[in-house]
Amino acid sequence: MGKRIKLLPGESVRENQTKAGTKMLFVFDPPNTKTPIAKGKLEWKSDDVTYSIQTEKNTTNIAAVPPPAKKP
C-alpha cells in the first residue's frame, strides 16, 4: 500500500508513471480510517489519464474522466 494523501474538496494529485500499469485506490472518511468508503482499480496505458472521485448522497464513485476532444 502506498502513502496516504489527504485531499480536501477541489484538490488534486499528479503522479508521473513512465510505463503502463495498474494501481488500487482506496478512499477513506477521515473519522473512520479502518474501512474504505470507496475503492477502485486505476489503469493507464501510454497516454495521460484523469480520474475523478465524487461523493453524492453518501455514495462515493471513482471514474476515469474522458479526455477532451481533439481539435481538427
Side-chain angles (χ1 to χ4, degrees), residues 3-4 6 13 27 30 35 38 40 46 48 53 57 59 62 64:
K3 179 182 173 186
R4 290 184 180 198
K6 181 179 179 179
V13 171
V27 179
T35 306
S46 60
D48 290 338
I53 302 170
K57 297 182 182 177
T59 301
I62 303 166

Side-chain angles (χ1 to χ4, degrees), residues 11-60:
E11 291 187 321
S12 63
V13 171
R14 285 180 170 234
E15 191 173 297
N16 184 28
Q17 301 293 336
T18 58
K19 57 184 177 178
T22 61
K23 176 186 267 191
M24 286 298 297
L25 175 73
F26 297 91
V27 179
F28 293 90
D29 186 22
N32 178 9
T33 58
K34 302 273 187 226
T35 306
I37 58 173
K39 57 185 173 180
K41 186 177 184 179
L42 308 183
E43 299 181 282
W44 61 93
K45 295 193 170 49
S46 60
D47 297 331
D48 290 338
V49 179
T50 300
Y51 286 91
S52 173
I53 302 170
Q54 296 182 353
T55 301
E56 187 175 319
K57 297 182 182 177
N58 295 328
T59 301
T60 302

